[in-house]
Amino acid sequence: MSVSTDFSVAIAGGGLSGLCLAQYLMRAGIDVHVYERDSGPFVRRQGYRIILDRYGLAALRESLPRPLYRLALSTGDEPGGQLRFTDSRLRDAFTITFKDEPYATRQVDRLTLRSILQSGLDGRIHYGKTAVAVDSDDPARLRLRFSDGGTAPANVVVGADGVGSALRAQLMPDAHPTDTPMVGIYGRSPLRHHGESVIPDTLRTSGVLAIADRPGRAFFFTPMRFGQRPREAFARLAPGSYAPTGDDYVMWALLLRREEVPIGVRGHLLTLWELAARMSADFHPLVRRLVDTAELDATVLNLFATGQRPHRWAVPRATMMGDAVHAMPPFGAQGGNTALRDAALLGKRLVEARTNGTPVEVAIARYQNEMVPYAFRAVDTAARLMRRLTGGAAAPHWVLTRVLPRLHRVTVPEA
Ligand SMILES: Cc1cc2nc3c(=O)[nH]c(=O)nc-3n(C[C@H](O)[C@H](O)[C@H](O)COP(=O)(O)OP(=O)(O)OC[C@H]3O[C@@H](n4cnc5c(N)ncnc54)[C@H](O)[C@@H]3O)c2cc1C
């Protein structure tokens, strides 16, 4: 592939959106480099799954070479499934059923997806580079500056550095995210114990949000089964790329109020896990078993934040995407999908600009004007869902945990 040298893009952050944009631009022959803070591609366990909706899947289809897109689908879980809302004893309140179509929603392992997104970008991802600012003395020739004092020149800079973005204060000065009252302790546990699935057959294809009697507490879990083993699928479709081991697992999250997590336990895996075990003691035995069998090093704390609509973009040839712009609580599973959608949209606008001569500032402004409405609709929906499902309002909580479960049969026997 011939790579144009007259147009270059520097991306801060090699997460979902940064890598997806790099794939899009590479395919179009644009000179792109990704600068990632982590010291290597797999230094952090990213051991959870992500549900891709039609926007996330469309973005991958538009950005990735065909074999890599097929790899994402073939290693993903089977299409369809349900999301069940239950009380703490796993008695059904109501259920949402997903379309049983391969391109509607797919659950994929995040580590596998990240590996797919890195494939073919050899020499274009630079690890151990923490972006701190964008120098714009020459507006047509920006420089992305790093904490080690180095810089990288580029015509366009993109901040894709996640919820704790270092570039946001400079590029979107009026849009610092606000904290929400809720946090999540995330973990993962093996799906099988002595060869038997720990998830009963009734919940085989279900994600479950179990809402506790006490408002402001809930437990989420969902099994992740690999369609094809990553090792075999990568050998066929992306030989030479790193293939995660691909053992099936259950991802879970205990959702609780921020003030219930003492500052001292943050960042300490054992105490975080102990807190999750203590706080889930009143749930169904299946929930307690998941926490008991957790892989300790996959336990993480996530403090939920809500992004604020940007009203001013300070550097015309620099922009941002993903959680760095529109952080949202994980209700509705739209954060990653929206980040991927941003990447494909920005890629499209930049490629159009190079092809038809539109000034790059205009292309970027167009991306921003299109992105903000859909992204902040998703933020608003996620914040509203969080309030409804975990808020202190007595009536909805009473209906969810007392009324609806009584109308349904018991889903999971406790014996
Ligand atoms: C447990 C869990 C489950 C989730 N499930 C879903 C789901 O089902 N569906 C969904 O749509 N979303 C889901 N999400 C949300 C989704 O993961 C995020 O919205 C998505 O990863 C955002 O992508 P991003 O590219 O903006 O940021 P990230 O993927 O967070 O990537 C940011 C990258 O920037 C790097 N970085 C940070 N600071 C700097 C810096 N200064 N310089 C250089 N690099 C930097 C980080 O190391 C990281 O690699 C889930 C999140 C969690 C935690």
Side-chain angles (χ1 to χ4, degrees):
M1 182 189 295
S2 71
V3 171
S4 162
T5 49
D6 62 350
F7 191 89
S8 58
V9 178
I11 302 173
L16 295 187
S17 63
L19 293 171
C20 186
L21 176 63
Q23 289 280 356
Y24 195 111
L25 298 178
M26 262 287 285
R27 283 182 80 193
I30 288 179
D31 185 20
V32 58
H33 287 264
V34 178
Y35 299 91
E36 164 58 45
R37 182 183 59 186
D38 284 352
S39 58
F42 302 106
V43 292
R44 269 183 302 137
R45 286 288 296 267
Q46 308 216 345
Y48 56 87
R49 71 83 187 100
I50 171 164
I51 292 188
L52 295 174
D53 64 14
R54 65 195 168 100
Y55 296 109
L57 286 166
L60 291 180
R61 198 166 54 241
E62 288 163 30
S63 308
L64 291 172
R66 188 108 323 232
L68 292 184
Y69 179 63
R70 283 192 7 237
L71 189 53
L73 291 185
S74 60
T75 50
D77 210 332
E78 60 195 77
Q82 300 85 29
L83 177 58
R84 288 167 188 263
F85 296 81
T86 74
D87 69 3
S88 64
R89 313 309 294 187
L90 302 187
R91 285 179 295 231
D92 279 336
F94 64 95
T95 299
I96 296 171
T97 301
F98 299 117
K99 281 191 191 157
D100 185 8
E101 293 169 5
Y103 308 109
T105 51
R106 285 303 280 275
Q107 181 163 269
V108 298
D109 173 55
R110 188 187 158 105
L111 188 62
T112 306
L113 179 61
R114 204 158 181 236
S115 184
I116 291 170
L117 286 166
Q118 285 166 352
S119 298
L121 294 178
D122 316 317
R124 297 192 166 270
I125 311 179
H126 309 274
Y127 294 101
K129 299 301 264 182
T130 302
V132 290
V134 180
D135 295 338
S136 58
D137 308 335
D138 174 357
R141 194 78 185 148
L142 306 178
R143 300 191 80 85
L144 180 60
R145 192 148 34 91
F146 305 108
S147 59
D148 60 9
T151 59
N155 302 111
V156 172
V157 170
V158 181
D161 50 346
V163 62
S165 172
L167 298 185
R168 184 173 44 227
Q170 180 191 2
L171 301 183
M172 302 185 341
D174 60 358
H176 191 71
T178 48
D179 290 343
T180 78
M182 297 293 296
V183 305
I185 300 176
Y186 287 83
R188 68 178 250 171
S189 312
L191 177 62
R192 289 186 193 78
H193 194 64
H194 299 308
E196 297 277 314
S197 172
V198 296
I199 299 291
D201 226 38
T202 34
L203 300 182
R204 209 189 101 76
T205 56
S206 292
V208 177
L209 184 72
I211 297 160
D213 294 345
R214 174 197 175 120
R217 191 169 302 170
F219 194 94
F220 175 75
F221 64 91
T222 182
M224 169 67 213
R225 290 182 194 81
F226 288 85
Q228 281 178 26
R229 294 287 130 212
R231 291 259 157 89
E232 290 147 31
F234 272 72
R236 204 161 31 83
L237 293 164
S241 294
Y242 169 78
T245 52
D247 295 325
D248 297 340
Y249 60 89
V250 182
M251 180 195 110
W252 54 261
L254 174 71
L255 310 176
L256 66 168
R257 294 206 175 278
R258 192 175 285 256
E259 69 263 17
E260 293 179 295
V261 181
I263 302 285
V265 312
R266 299 181 185 178
H268 293 97
L269 296 181
L270 183 61
T271 37
L272 211 47
W273 173 82
E274 282 167 348
L275 184 68
R278 198 166 68 242
M279 300 278 193
S280 54
D282 291 338
F283 281 84
H284 188 284
L286 171 59
V287 166
R288 298 206 303 271
R289 181 157 186 218
L290 289 176
V291 179
D292 285 347
T293 56
E295 297 162 12
L296 203 58
D297 62 345
T299 316
V300 287
L301 177 69
N302 194 347
L303 309 172
F304 302 154
T306 309
Q308 300 301 307
R309 275 179 179 69
H311 296 290
R312 189 160 79 82
W313 297 87
V315 180
R317 279 178 173 246
T319 189
M320 306 197 74
M321 55 183 190
D323 280 4
V325 185
H326 44 70
M328 61 186 90
F331 294 81
Q334 293 189 74
N337 286 294
T338 314
L340 292 170
R341 186 176 178 183
D342 298 350
L345 177 63
L346 178 57
K348 190 168 167 198
R349 294 288 167 257
L350 290 176
V351 171
E352 278 170 5
R354 208 200 39 167
T355 314
N356 64 21
T358 306
V360 75
E361 295 84 349
V362 173
I364 287 176
R366 203 170 279 165
Y367 151 74
Q368 287 159 180
N369 291 338
E370 289 173 75
M371 176 269 290
V372 167
Y374 71 70
F376 282 88
R377 257 197 314 276
V379 172
D380 293 343
T381 305
R384 198 168 48 243
L385 272 174
M386 182 180 74
R387 277 196 304 276
R388 285 209 183 131
L389 293 169
T390 60
H397 184 263
W398 182 73
V399 172
L400 275 170
T401 58
R402 302 290 153 89
V403 180
L404 291 174
R406 295 230 150 78
L407 302 177
H408 293 81
R409 64 194 161 74
V410 173
T411 313
V412 186
E414 298 202 11

